[in-house]
Amino acid sequence: MRVSAVSAALILTVAGAVFAQEYVEFTSPQDRFGVTFPVQPKVEETTWKSQFGSMLPARIYTADSGSSHFKVTVVDYNNIEAISTERAKSCPPGAETCRGGGSSTGLGYWKADLAGAMTYAQWQFMQRDAKITYLGWNNIDLVEGTMIYMTNNPDKSRTSAGIYMHENKLYILEGTVPAGYPEPGFFQQSIRWLDENGTASVTRRSITTDSRNRRPAEAAQRVRVRGRVEARGRARVSRDKDTRCAYSFLRPRCSGVRVRRSRRSTSSSRACRIASRSFFLHNQRSPRRPTRPSSNQCCPHASTAWTRVKVTSR
């Protein structure tokens, strides 16, 4: 009996090692993600019906390994405004639940669709004949999302899923294994985000909630500061007159745009006068700080002045 048990364990170990060697580090330049599949996946073009009825382009990547199934669904929300607006034109007159149009919904409810994409995908999992054993917040490479574990009632198979929103694309990953197998959490946690060329992984310094509450066109816009690309911002961008400013003793950010310090004196500008006054009020709350600086102390140097730079689109 002991020999049989050892032999069985050895067989399982060798089989597991061989199976691990077959894993494929798959990448999709089109949908800008990479993930670890057990085998090369099949790709299917399809559509996804949003919460408010818009039909969005989508792709499904599937791979099977024995009785285990792995799938990634990618839904493109970048054209949600145009698609929903066109759909709203066919709504009956006065059908507000179809037409939308409010400041919080947009025509055809495109704003609500974009903002609630991850929540709606989560709701789809909750409609299954399954018991949810875990539901919580997660992030992959500082892109936030939702992680779900469930046991499917019909056959007691186990599913591990992840839902993420990145660059206005909805990513739904799920791996399902037979009863008694370890939960396939490795699959949905193996996703990585690729740059706009689909080649290198994207790195971030802080967690991003993507752009679920702003227009897709604004989310994709690259903002230039003095001719150098600094950040992607929600800021309204003008080619000739829009300016952004920030205290240099705080983080040099304003409306999501990273701002560089300017060496040019702004002693006669309204921004400097505002900075001087605000600095004085700050000192009143912090007695240990120095007293209000004079204009020549504040403005010629970037250490205490408002920094003003031109912000232009590419």
Side-chain angles (χ1 to χ4, degrees):
M1 180 65 70
R2 180 177 299 175
V3 174
S4 300
V6 172
S7 300
L10 180 61
I11 292 172
L12 289 174
T13 302
V14 173
V18 172
F19 181 71
Q21 293 176 0
E22 296 177 351
Y23 269 59
V24 175
E25 294 296 332
F26 175 79
T27 58
S28 172
Q30 288 178 311
D31 289 321
R32 294 179 57 180
F33 79 98
V35 74
T36 303
F37 275 109
V39 294
Q40 191 70 19
K42 299 177 182 179
V43 184
E44 176 189 356
E45 300 280 345
T46 185
T47 56
W48 169 271
K49 188 176 182 179
S50 70
Q51 179 180 356
F52 294 94
S54 293
M55 303 304 295
L56 304 174
R59 292 187 186 89
I60 299 178
Y61 303 80
T62 56
D64 297 333
S65 178
S67 300
S68 301
H69 308 282
F70 303 89
K71 181 170 72 171
V72 178
T73 303
V74 183
V75 186
D76 191 351
Y77 274 77
N78 280 290
N79 292 324
I80 181 67
E81 182 178 4
I83 294 173
S84 298
T85 301
E86 185 64 27
R87 182 180 61 84
K89 295 178 181 179
S90 61
C91 294
E96 192 279 332
T97 54
C98 176
R99 296 177 61 86
S103 60
S104 62
T105 63
L107 285 173
Y109 280 81
W110 74 266
K111 292 182 180 180
D113 260 338
L114 184 62
M118 289 199 299
T119 304
Y120 181 65
Q122 177 183 320
W123 173 247
Q124 299 303 308
F125 280 101
M126 297 176 68
Q127 301 308 298
R128 297 183 181 183
D129 184 11
K131 177 183 178 181
I132 295 179
T133 57
Y134 178 80
L135 172 64
W137 180 89
N138 189 38
N139 82 88
I140 299 295
D141 292 337
L142 299 179
V143 174
E144 72 168 359
T146 303
M147 188 163 54
I148 305 173
Y149 286 85
M150 59 176 60
T151 300
N152 302 295
N153 291 327
D155 56 3
K156 301 303 178 183
S157 60
R158 308 174 78 179
T159 297
S160 173
I163 305 169
Y164 303 93
M165 194 77 171
H166 178 58
E167 299 292 345
N168 288 307
K169 286 191 175 184
L170 176 67
Y171 297 83
I172 307 171
L173 302 94
E174 55 180 305
T176 302
V177 297
Y181 278 53
E183 292 177 331
F186 74 93
F187 174 67
Q188 57 99 352
Q189 295 183 35
S190 69
I191 190 170
R192 58 192 183 279
W193 317 110
L194 303 181
D195 60 18
E196 53 192 13
N197 297 319
T199 55
S201 297
V202 176
T203 58
R204 288 180 174 76
R205 296 182 180 179
S206 60
I207 290 177
T208 176
T209 58
D210 203 72
S211 51
R212 289 173 288 151
N213 294 320
R214 62 178 180 263
R215 292 174 181 266
E218 292 179 1
Q221 190 172 34
R222 297 184 66 83
V223 178
R224 285 178 173 270
V225 178
R226 285 196 169 187
R228 187 177 70 178
V229 176
E230 293 284 353
R232 295 176 184 271
R234 185 180 179 182
R236 298 176 181 176
V237 178
S238 171
R239 290 184 177 275
D240 56 354
K241 63 180 180 179
D242 200 4
T243 59
R244 293 292 179 266
C245 50
Y247 265 130
S248 59
F249 58 78
L250 300 176
R251 283 191 177 183
R253 290 180 180 273
C254 185
S255 300
V257 180
R258 182 170 296 175
V259 181
R260 294 194 304 170
R261 293 182 176 88
S262 172
R263 295 180 181 178
R264 182 173 59 87
S265 173
T266 57
S267 56
S268 60
S269 67
R270 177 175 178 271
C272 182
R273 294 195 300 272
I274 296 175
S276 180
R277 180 176 180 276
S278 299
F279 191 79
F280 171 74
L281 295 176
H282 182 76
N283 292 339
Q284 300 299 317
R285 302 187 188 98
S286 304
R288 294 184 180 180
R289 284 185 173 271
T291 57
R292 177 182 180 181
S294 61
S295 59
N296 61 348
Q297 291 175 321
C298 166
C299 303
H301 308 287
S303 60
T304 55
W306 282 86
T307 303
R308 296 169 61 87
V309 294
K310 288 285 186 178
V311 180
T312 60
S313 59
R314 171 177 283 182

